[in-house]
Amino acid sequence: MQNNQNFDAQKIRFDLRAIANLINKNSKVLDIGCGDGELLHFLKSTKNIDARGLEISHTQVSKALIRGLSVIHGNAENDLSIYPDKSFDYAVLSQTIQATQNPPKILIEMLRIANYAIVSLPNFAHIKNRFDLMFSGRMPVNKTLPYQWYETPNIHFCSILDFEKLCFDLDFNIQKKIFLTSNHRFLGVFGNELFANLFAKYGIFLITKNEFKASSQEEFAFKVVTNLGYKPAISNYDYKK
Amino acid sequence: MKVKSRFGHLNQEFEVGNIIYIAQNSKLKLSSGLEIENFPIAYQTYGNLNSDKSNAILICHALTGDQYVASTNPVIQKDGWWDFMVGKGKAIDTDKFFVICANVIGGCMGSLGPKEIDPKTNKPFGSSFPFLTIQDMVRAQKLLIEYFGINKLHAVIGGSTGGMQVLAWGVLFPNKVKILIPMSTSYRHSPQNIAFHEVGRQAIMSDPNWCEGDYLAQEKFPKSGLALARMTAHITYLSESSLQKKFGRDLNNKSGFSFSAERDFEVENYLHYQGSRFVERFDPNSYLIITRAVDYFDLESDFNGKLSGAFVELAKNKSCKICVISFSDDWLFPPSESKKLTHALSACDVNVSSVVIESNGGHDSFLLKNDIFEKTISGLLIEK
């Protein structure tokens, strides 16, 4: 069993390992878009979590069920409504938010059903993307963004700063953030956002509602709000629609 | 105890395997208010019950199925209906699990049913047999489980009508099971499905040999009515695409149309074959009793229109998990109904999984070999 765990720990996708580090032992986790259950399986075997998943692809659901996980066949856009309020400690959305129709609605739903939301996303403002667009004049296609413009499922790209702004507008509190570079190294926790926005390929955020009191969560010692002087949203976009 | 029973329009006698008499000391109260006691349940088991009696899996058969899950069926002389799933080294591994399957009450494979002899009159029950519900069938299964001394089942698994029984287990005995796997089923029987059942029942009852249900006493058998009921039902078990793939518009060994009502098409021939095999093994009164029980099944109305209310007690059993399995081209119990069931389970925080398995066998897909399906079932049964 010990060997298995080590093997899994080495195998798990680098950004999922960073997400796993944000999750407390013995907690209850919903992984939205859990795929074949890689993260949930890892968390279950290393942190004894109560693991649940939501996945849109039936072949992926079957793979997760074969692993003995509890996964519902459904989609993040419509099916989060089936979960009661605060039914999870954490709701995880990894590299999916940019492919959803209504990202704010999903964030609001995540923090309705869970105390903490963990969101990871590719940073569209990465320096390579900026160069690609500036010098070739065409939409960037690379390892992180492997799709042509006409086939990409990613319909709502954002940068790290854009995402932080959205959290600010929604009055959500970013408790922790992790930036990853292409070499899979941590760029630094609570690093300079402008620097991260240029050099990080991925951002991972641990978010709570602002009214959520972290009193029992002393491990989150760095309860920080770095809003970079964001102004409230000027658009009339209805987040709840 | 082994007994023999008579089957179908040929009234042939076959052995029906193991039988025990349950409800010997206390009566079983049916949903209709009637009571039954000291009645037979016919069952088969596979594998061995372990010392702490924790490895038992109850399999619930479908409408016209029986207890012969994984061994040769003595009446039709064919492999059990889930032979590919249950056995040594198979998805439901009988080296690990003790598998029990019992013929439902109201059935005709040895359990208390309308073709058995009523000890009070010494004649077959026939039309006097009480109408039942899915819940009644499950209460009888519970008595069988108690007979084995099993306190908690490792799993209850079943498809279609059997899937309704699985759900009824979750509602009636939420603390007596660890894993529930309802397949190709629903929390209620839809109006369209009730309509199809009624066509089948009317086919049986309009047969001249029906004799108001007492055909056995009069040594008759509504053979053509029962065959017709089966033919109609069989269409609903397949799908448009599976019929297209299997038969297309192929003619039945003919070079052209006969310009008569003869069976020109292969698909007609197939349906007639299904009907003719069915009347060799099934009892018309049982068909009425069981289809009626299925029609009455509606957990939503049982809980005042709030389906999640059915699972409140199940949600309290934190060690229980449930996986709702449906098949993509099942139009009798479509994936949309499973979705509603999954949502209701999730709404009361039951540990629920669900999957729609890609299929091309229609409703009967759960009876067909399918690698992903088998692996999914085996994954679900592993204790983690």
Side-chain angles (χ1 to χ4, degrees), chain A residues 105-116:
Chain A
K105 186 179 159 194
I106 291 192
L107 285 179
I108 291 166
E109 277 291 86
M110 286 172 79
L111 283 174
R112 178 185 65 79
I113 62 177
N115 289 328
Y116 295 91

Side-chain angles (χ1 to χ4, degrees), chain B residues 5-14 64 73 75-76 78 108-109 115 200 203-205 207 209-210 215-216 220-234 263 270-287:
Chain B
S5 185
R6 294 189 170 277
F7 287 88
H9 69 111
L10 298 172
N11 208 19
Q12 277 181 306
E13 198 170 57
F14 298 96
T64 63
N73 186 308
V75 181
I76 55 173
K78 279 187 178 173
C108 53
M109 197 63 177
K115 83 170 166 52
I204 292 168
M205 291 190 286
D207 188 303
N209 290 325
W210 165 244
Y215 46 87
L216 290 179
K220 288 181 177 168
F221 197 88
K223 183 185 162 191
S224 60
L226 183 63
L228 183 52
R230 179 61 167 185
M231 285 166 71
T232 321
H234 202 82
R263 291 173 209 166
Y270 172 76
L271 280 184
H272 280 278
Y273 172 76
Q274 291 297 334
S276 67
R277 293 308 307 266
F278 189 58
V279 299
E280 291 168 9
R281 68 177 178 92
F282 217 79
D283 176 59
N285 273 315
S286 276
Y287 198 82

Side-chain angles (χ1 to χ4, degrees), chain A residues 173-201:
Chain A
N173 191 347
I174 298 174
Q175 299 250 2
K176 275 190 180 182
K177 39 191 149 181
I178 297 166
F179 302 122
L180 306 176
T181 69
S182 52
N183 297 331
H184 306 174
R185 280 198 310 251
F186 296 87
L187 199 62
V189 182
F190 296 104
N192 181 314
E193 272 69 21
L194 291 172
F195 182 73
N197 202 36
L198 201 52
F199 294 108
K201 279 207 162 174

